[in-house]
Amino acid sequence: MLYQNKLKNELFYNSLSTILILSGIVVAQRGVVVFRLASKGIIPNDSILTILVFSLLKYLPILLTLTLFLTILLTLSRWFRDSEMMIWFSSGLGLTSFIRPILFFSLPIILLIGFLSLYLSPWATQKSEEYKAGLKNRDELATISPGSFKESKSKDRVFYVEGFGDLGSKVKNVFVQSEQNGKLGIIVSNEGSRVSTSTDKDEYIVLKKGKRYEVNHENNNFTEIKFDDYGFLVERKLPPIIDVNQVEAMPTALLLSTNSNREIAEFVWRVSLPISGIVLIILAIPLSFINPRTGRSVNIIIAIMIFAIYNNLMGVTQSYINLGKLNPYVGGAIVHALIISVASYLMLRRNLNLPLLPSKVRNLRLKK
């Protein structure tokens, strides 16, 4: 039918713009944190994009749920505001007539939310933690960015490398400051290279044709030494991958095989995300009604507040399940049942073109 095709087209374009905006907000917010860590030298510059991608995959189920909710709300609100909804109502359609086409449009997104929540987001969380662990265990030279100073993990050396060559095996214009046995040493060299020993697999940086300046703090003696070759040990590498024990990173199949409250609470949370998407679809339809006296943005503000309360309630029930104070079946259903009852009440009142509050309640308010 005509209204279904028009509705699907507008929902598609609104959903596309909404997910781009929300993803941009998340990337900008996480980017501030990641860039701050990179500026302090905690993480290398070449890892910024990878960490941002993992963060986006982690929060994508919630973003898609909010996108679906706002898309339906914005689309139907515009129809009410521009009196298009009145035309469809006069043609014999009711508010419940929009449930079926909206559900058909939302079904692929709901399935995607379920796939992300149950499989892809835990995988992204695990890979993100493994990647961060690998960054922490990289050797000193691998963490140096050309043109910037970098302190060693042992806090006794400061490196500066102007540039790299030969896929990172060569270094150019090197400055090293070290503190050993009460003596401050400064090494300057035009070039150097990485050398690995075949016996214990230690790695050294061998500098060519440079100078070493040494200052004794006790007697302030100054020494200058020229050298043809000077090598120093790079801190030994640790295994780049470690086990991730975070419950958020555990595969869903592993969660089902355990009886711990912590794993059960995490499973309830993952299942709740696609269910909340379906519930919010039903809730967005009656919330899209606009009262000309209240303005255009009131229902949007109320909808965002309801979405925040809904997700916080799911988080609270997850915490109670984790503590063993709430049955998983009850905790997993009680919040959804509450929001479904609210959505059903609103749908009934709006479909019958009745005020949200019954007449008895309104009269009681007037008497007070």
Side-chain angles (χ1 to χ4, degrees):
M1 297 178 67
L2 179 61
Y3 83 97
Q4 294 183 1
N5 294 330
K6 181 176 175 57
L7 179 62
K8 291 178 182 179
N9 290 334
E10 193 161 347
L11 286 174
F12 173 77
Y13 289 110
N14 284 342
S15 62
L16 188 61
S17 58
T18 303
I19 188 60
L20 290 177
I21 293 173
L22 293 178
S23 299
I25 294 174
V26 172
V27 170
Q29 188 271 334
R30 296 299 304 169
V32 172
V33 178
V34 175
F35 278 111
R36 186 186 297 119
L37 296 176
S39 64
K40 294 180 180 180
I42 299 176
I43 60 174
N45 295 334
D46 58 358
S47 65
I48 293 176
L49 181 60
T50 304
I51 295 176
L52 288 178
V53 170
F54 283 137
S55 298
L56 184 60
L57 289 175
K58 180 180 179 180
Y59 296 108
L60 197 54
I62 298 178
L63 289 181
L64 286 175
T65 305
L66 181 57
T67 297
L68 190 59
F69 184 48
L70 291 178
T71 297
I72 299 170
L73 191 68
L74 292 173
T75 301
L76 296 184
S77 295
R78 192 200 67 78
W79 283 24
F80 274 109
R81 185 175 64 249
D82 296 342
S83 301
E84 290 187 29
M85 194 66 76
M86 301 301 108
I87 297 175
W88 302 120
F89 287 164
S90 63
S91 302
L93 297 176
L95 200 59
T96 55
S97 302
F98 293 89
I99 296 178
R100 184 176 180 180
I102 289 177
L103 285 177
F104 273 114
F105 170 82
S106 306
L107 182 60
I109 302 178
I110 296 295
L111 294 177
L112 179 59
I113 293 173
F115 172 74
L116 290 170
S117 176
L118 295 174
Y119 299 103
L120 191 57
S121 292
W123 174 84
T125 303
Q126 180 183 14
K127 294 302 179 182
S128 176
E129 295 301 321
E130 290 179 351
Y131 185 73
K132 291 177 182 178
L135 292 178
K136 293 179 182 179
N137 293 309
R138 295 204 304 182
D139 62 58
E140 293 176 323
L141 190 62
T143 60
I144 298 176
S145 299
S148 62
F149 289 90
K150 173 67 177 180
E151 188 178 30
S152 66
K153 299 177 184 178
S154 56
K155 308 296 183 181
D156 60 352
R157 279 188 293 202
V158 177
F159 298 89
Y160 175 87
V161 177
E162 185 177 287
F164 291 90
D166 293 343
L167 299 178
S169 61
K170 301 289 185 179
V171 290
K172 300 177 182 179
N173 295 334
V174 184
F175 170 89
V176 182
Q177 175 184 298
S178 60
E179 185 87 23
Q180 292 179 344
N181 300 324
K183 296 181 180 180
L184 176 65
I186 298 176
I187 303 173
V188 181
S189 175
N190 292 329
E191 60 178 338
S193 60
R194 300 177 65 134
V195 177
S196 299
T197 60
S198 57
T199 56
D200 52 5
K201 296 184 179 181
D202 285 336
E203 291 196 356
Y204 293 84
I205 300 297
V206 179
L207 303 179
K208 304 288 186 179
K209 296 181 180 180
K211 295 181 180 180
R212 174 180 171 86
Y213 305 95
E214 191 173 278
V215 180
N216 193 325
H217 293 299
E218 296 180 355
N219 50 27
N220 293 329
N221 288 338
F222 179 83
T223 305
E224 178 182 348
I225 303 174
K226 294 183 179 180
F227 58 83
D228 292 330
D229 295 297
Y230 184 93
F232 58 89
L233 178 67
V234 179
E235 293 182 354
R236 186 189 296 268
K237 285 185 179 181
L238 297 176
I241 301 300
I242 63 173
D243 292 332
V244 179
N245 295 322
Q246 292 187 359
V247 67
E248 294 87 357
M250 294 178 62
T252 302
L254 186 59
L255 292 178
L256 294 174
S257 62
T258 59
N259 295 321
S260 173
N261 291 332
R262 186 182 180 189
E263 282 76 16
I264 294 174
E266 176 63 22
F267 177 75
V268 170
W269 169 261
R270 295 181 187 180
V271 174
S272 296
L273 288 177
I275 295 176
S276 66
I278 299 175
V279 175
L280 289 172
I281 291 172
I282 308 301
L283 182 62
I285 296 175
L287 282 179
S288 61
F289 174 80
I290 291 180
N291 188 347
R293 296 181 180 180
T294 59
R296 299 180 177 181
S297 59
V298 174
N299 62 331
I300 303 295
I301 297 174
I302 295 175
I304 294 177
M305 291 178 59
I306 292 176
F307 178 83
I309 293 172
Y310 191 5
N311 276 270
N312 287 332
L313 287 177
M314 289 194 302
V316 171
T317 55
Q318 181 190 13
S319 300
Y320 275 97
I321 294 172
N322 186 16
L323 295 174
K325 297 181 178 180
L326 190 62
N327 183 277
Y329 297 100
V330 176
I334 187 171
V335 178
H336 304 300
L338 175 63
I339 303 300
I340 287 175
S341 62
V342 173
S344 301
Y345 174 79
L346 294 177
M347 181 69 73
L348 177 63
R349 304 293 293 185
R350 291 303 188 193
N351 192 53
L352 297 177
N353 199 19
L354 296 174
L356 293 182
L357 296 177
S359 58
K360 293 181 180 180
V361 178
R362 289 186 285 113
N363 293 334
L364 183 61
R365 292 180 58 187
L366 290 175
K367 290 180 180 179
K368 291 183 179 180

